[in-house]
Every structure is written in structure tokens, then in C-alpha cells.
Amino acid sequence: MSGVSDAFGKGRPALVGYLPAGYPTVAMAQQAILAMIEAGVDLVELGLPYSDPVIDGPVIQRATEQALAGGVRIRDVFATVSATAGHGVPIMVMTYWNPVERYGVNAFARDLAAAGGAGLITPDLIPDEADEWLAASDEHKLDRTFLVSPSSTDDRIAMTAASTRGFLYATAVMGVTGAREHTSSAAPVLVARARAKTDLPIGVGLGVRNGAQAAEVGSYADGVIVGSALVSALGEHGVDGVKRLTEELRSGLLL
Amino acid sequence: MLPDDTGHFGPFGGRFVPEALISALDELDAHYRKAMTDPEFMGEFEGMLRDYAGTPSMLYEAKRLSAHAGARILLKREDLNHTGAHKVRNVLGQALLTKRMGKPRVIAETGAGQHGVASATACAYLDLECVVYMGKVDTERQALNVARMHMLGATVVPVTTGSQTLKDAINEALRDWVTNVDNTHYLLGTAAGPHPFPAMVRDFVRGIGVETRAQMLERFGELPDAVAACVGGGSNAIGMFHAFIDDESVRLLGYEAGGDGVETGRHAASITGGAYGVLHGARTYLLQDEDGQTVESHSISAGLDYPAVGPEHAYLHQTGRGTYEPVTDAEAMEAFALLCKTEGIIPAIESAHALAGALRSIPALRAQLGREPVVVVNLSGRGDKDMHTAIDYFGLFS
């Protein structure tokens, strides 16, 4: 339908790369995403900057604050989707819920689909509150990724997976986003628990920053999600930095 | 009784939070429900409120103010509670519940510092570790409250992200909670946030209205025509309103912070000047731009300076059971001065909004009733903390 499941069907763990729209500028973010695609990312998670990003750590907070201060709008997010879709890599938008609710859930789904987007990742929307989004994503044939965490009960993992289409996002440590020295021992346990409940591909997020960590996570997950490290690379070394880090992460997943 | 089992007040409320917090919210909900029907918990809570916090607070007939206003005005003296505001009820309830849950650590957010001081007080009293998140801008503006929190044994963490004010302190507290949820309770300061906070905080503060109702019946043999309260997040207002919801003759009057006037865009009136949306875990009314980005609020009163409102108020507004109107900074400061001079009571500027709104409502009430109306104003806090603002506003030393 949208290629999200294809991104996970390549016989090796998929690499999912996050960057926010509008950081450091709308044009630079588009270039960085295209560089990420060229360097081998399998799925793009495009962040929609939001004023109150409660699950993000300092790196993504600062980047999205800068994007908002630069005047980024929802229409720029859709423009970024348009400019980066069609290169064989699906683009999912990661957004807190209020911007979608404010825009109109069905209108947002319609415009995202029209821009060529593959779906939404919604970190502060649980399926229990998502009736309108479930209907809109069905109508506009979009994938929808909900999150599970180490504190989720087995029943909630099953319920969340049943509402998900595309891939299931496992937040592998309790905490906010951000690169970490060590990956989590809770992650393989959570992935195993989720696998017992669903056939969906499972992506693991929060904390990966280099090829070796990507390889470690790839040994048990279907996808490795990298965010803060790519944002830092963009901030410190520009588009080239994003390209180099993506290549390194991908090399970790070829081993 | 609302909310429903999943925390909804009609379309409002619910849980718009990361999945990582759901198990903690479920745990909190289970403990809260159990506690509310547990005679041992309620006995302990009521004992603390009586012996430590000094409740029931007085219902005081403000005779000179009444004569001035042409109505019988009664003040619910929450300003006389320990720590000087209604907030002590909420913090004692949640701190006691934290002990019940076996968690040793409490985190809290604070704007001007009142909820931080109250939380630090309850944690000192009940021997809990207390960490308070406070916007860096606010720590500088409110150094005295930061000092109070330190003296009470709390750690104050200045928040340097976003606008560095209350809403960012809430964001940072939520981030801490996601990370440390196993040993930490988030002692939210108002009847907002994800379920069960709006219901739980309401239940801890609803004694305000329960007491008022009983005091009215005992002293006057009748209910008031209206109860009035200021509304920021809305805890003192829901505390006053809740016991009167089924009393159809009692008007529920909520007054939001109108700042420079809702039409100027510089205000904190989420219901009258905001729009439907989601913030800090609940669906409610909030100040936002057309992309759903939160817009900063403005009020002379720090305690009302919040860009959203508790979901039960959103519901009472939508159903028409409550009436919510803005009161400007200027109207509030006029009422502040009036109460000082007519009654010898210095109110919190928050509470002065309720008083200003109540005074404004009296001519229409009198016309409707054909007699002198009886109005209870929730005097939610005392004004000592606001003297810097009063000095600047009235030019006292210039």
C-alpha cells in the first residue's frame, strides 16, 4: 500500500532515520533527508516541530525549537514530504497530536496522502483515543505507527499492535529521546514480548548513535530507529555529516 | 458521576500521553479509587486537613464589601489555610497517596512557586524526596519562593527549554516522570493533565464546596445564588463548584485571566479566547495558533498564567452548567485594592479575579432574582506573595 512494510522486507534490519522539518531551514532539512535516502536509509521519519515536545530529549528539543523560531509551518512539512517522497523510500511524519487535531484529522490525512506521505507516527496518541485517526488513515490509505514501551502490559501490546499498520515502534528504554552510551537491556525483552503478540515488523528506537549499536539492535529488531544522533550530525557537520552517519549506521546493518 | 472510566468529561479529558506513562497512570488510578473509599485513608487525609492545614476554612460574611456591592457577599477563606491557599488540600492528598503507593520520590512543576512551596511542604511533612521543576525565568522572578522550597528540603531544577515558564516546567516534569516512573509520583498542581489527575485533584480539593454548602445551610438555611472562583488550570474553581453541580439554583461563575483584554491577544483565557485541542495529556480548550502550536499566555497573576484549562471546566462550559468570563488585569487589581480597604484582607491576585467577576455579575443577578443576591467568592489564596506586583502596579514607592 505505501511501502512501509516493504522497507522492512529486505532480508536485513531496516534503518529508520529521523530528522525534523525546517531544521536548520526548510531547504537544508530537505537536502539532509535526500542525503539520508541516498546513503541507504530504508524509511524516513520526518518530525513535525511542536511547541511542547514532552517525549523528546535536549537535542531534538533544541532543533525543533530552532525550526519553529525560523517560522516552519505544517505546510512546510507537507512540502518536505513532497520533495522527498518518490525516491523509493517511504516518508512517515512523526507528530505530537495537537497539530493534527487543530488542522483537522481527516484534512491532515488527506493532505499528507496527497503529498505522497506514507503515514503517521504518533508518540502521544494511544489507540484508546485514536478513533478519528483510525478512520481517517483507513480512508486515505495511510499507515499508522503506535508505540509500545517496557512498561506496557501484554494486553496493551496486543491492543496497540492490532491498531498499528506498517510497523510497531518499541521505545526500548524508559525516558526521552537521545543518544546513549549503552543500548538498553530492556529492548530485546520488549521486542520478544511484542513478537509474541504480532507479525508486524518491530522498530526499536531511542538511543542508537553508531554502527556498532545499530548492529546490536539489528540483531533482535526488524528496524533500527535513529533520531538524535542524526540531528546532532546535521547540526554539527551539515548535510555531509548526515550522509556519513547514515552510511556508518547502514554498514552496521550489513554485517 | 463524571468522568467516565477512561477519564472523559464528554469530549474532554482522556489521556494524550506517551504509552510509557499509561501503566503509571493506571496504577495511580487504581490507588486513587481505592483510597477514596478506604475509611483509613480518608480518615488520615481528613485528620491532616484539620490538624495540619487548618480546615474547614471559614465562610466569612464581608459586610462592608456587601454594602458597597449591593449584595450579600461571603468569602470562603482558603487564604487562611496553612501555606496560604487551597492548594494545601491537593498536595496533602497526593503526598499521602504517594506514601500509599510506596514511592519515595515526588516531582512537581511550579510557575510562580506556590505549588512548588506547597509540594515541598507536604513532602517535608510526610518525609518524601521532592524535586520541583521551575522555568528559569520564574526562578529569577520568584527568588523568595525558591528560598522557601530550599528551606523545606526540596531541590529546585531551573528549566531552560521553550519559554522557560510554567508550561515548560510541566514538560520537563513529564520527561522526568517517563524516566523515573518506577519510584516517582508526579504531584500535578491543578485539576488538569491526563486521567486520573483531573478527577483526583478535584476530589482532593472538593472539600471547599462541600464545606461551603454545609456552612451556608447551617448559618443561613439556604444555598447561595452563585459561587464564584478564578480559573487558571482550575483546581480552586472545581473544588468550589463540584459540590454544587446538582444544585440547579446555584450559578457556577468561573473567571479567567483576561490579561490586557482577550481582544489584544495578551491573556490567559483558554475558554473564552482559546480553541479546542490537546495539551499536557488532556483534550480541553487551549491557547494555540492555527498550526496547533501553544501560544504563550499573559496575566498579571502568575497562578492563572497557563495556556489551557482543566477538562471538567471545558465540559461545564460546553454544557452551559458553568459560566466562564474573562477578567482583565485592571479589573482584578481594582478588586484587589477594594478588598484590602473595605475588609482588611489582602487577597491573592488570582482570587481578586474571582472577586472582580462576582462584583460585575451582581447587577444582572439582582435583576434576574428581583432581590439582593447571595454570592460566595472563593478567596483561594492570600496576597502576601503578590506585594511586588502591587508595588509596581500601584506605584507605591514612586
Side-chain angles (χ1 to χ4, degrees), chain B residues 307-323:
Chain B
V309 64
E312 193 161 9
H313 288 296
Y315 178 72
L316 291 173
H317 166 73
Q318 194 203 39
T319 59
R321 180 64 188 94
T323 304

Side-chain angles (χ1 to χ4, degrees), chain A residues 51-53 73 98 101 129, chain B residues 175 278 283 291 293-294:
Chain A
S51 53
D52 295 273
R73 299 290 309 272
N98 196 51
E101 183 138 325
E129 301 282 0
Chain B
R175 292 181 188 115
V278 165
R283 182 178 282 127
D291 270 5
Q293 310 287 351
T294 311

Side-chain angles (χ1 to χ4, degrees), chain B residues 53-54 57-60 75-89 208 339 344-348 351 377-384:
Chain B
S57 59
M58 287 192 250
L59 186 67
Y60 164 74
L75 303 177
K76 180 63 173 164
R77 297 294 306 276
E78 289 290 297
D79 59 316
L80 298 179
N81 297 345
H82 179 44
T83 73
H86 75 285
K87 286 175 180 292
V88 71
R89 298 177 188 259
I208 300 168
L339 191 67
I345 296 171
I346 301 177
S351 317
V377 177
N378 195 20
L379 208 68
S380 55
R382 68 178 180 222
D384 307 47

Side-chain angles (χ1 to χ4, degrees), chain B residues 126-304:
Chain B
L126 288 171
D127 190 23
L128 291 160
E129 182 190 348
C130 183
V131 176
V132 179
Y133 288 95
M134 186 171 185
K136 185 159 184 297
V137 172
D138 289 332
T139 61
E140 288 158 6
R141 290 194 292 211
Q142 302 289 342
L144 189 61
N145 274 339
V146 173
R148 284 195 177 107
M149 289 183 262
H150 281 305
M151 288 310 300
L152 292 162
T155 305
V156 180
V157 181
V159 175
T160 56
T161 52
S163 57
Q164 307 190 13
T165 58
L166 175 60
K167 82 176 178 67
D168 307 287
I170 295 176
N171 293 339
E172 206 54 37
L174 284 168
R175 292 181 188 115
D176 180 313
W177 204 30
V178 171
T179 310
N180 300 301
V181 68
D182 283 346
N183 72 349
T184 299
H185 174 63
Y186 179 15
L187 206 171
L188 188 67
T190 191
H195 177 66
F197 282 104
M200 179 180 70
V201 173
R202 175 198 72 199
D203 286 348
F204 287 142
V205 298
R206 74 185 292 281
I208 300 168
V210 172
E211 291 166 17
T212 300
R213 201 172 180 286
Q215 287 163 327
M216 282 298 303
L217 290 174
E218 188 189 322
R219 293 225 336 244
F220 304 103
E222 60 181 15
L223 295 176
D225 298 306
V227 292
C230 62
V231 180
S235 69
N236 92 83
I238 203 68
M240 173 59 87
F241 292 174
H242 196 253
F244 292 101
I245 286 177
D246 293 335
D247 297 315
E248 284 176 21
S249 67
V250 181
R251 293 155 185 79
L252 310 178
L253 308 178
Y255 294 101
E256 301 192 290
D260 293 341
V262 171
E263 70 287 352
T264 67
R266 291 179 52 82
H267 62 88
S270 316
I271 292 177
T272 34
Y276 187 85
V278 165
L279 182 66
H280 292 143
R283 182 178 282 127
T284 185
Y285 294 103
L286 61 130
L287 306 184
Q288 54 182 321
D289 69 14
E290 57 182 6
D291 270 5
Q293 310 287 351
T294 311
V295 170
E296 270 185 65
S297 55
H298 295 274
S299 170
I300 195 166
S301 151
L304 303 181

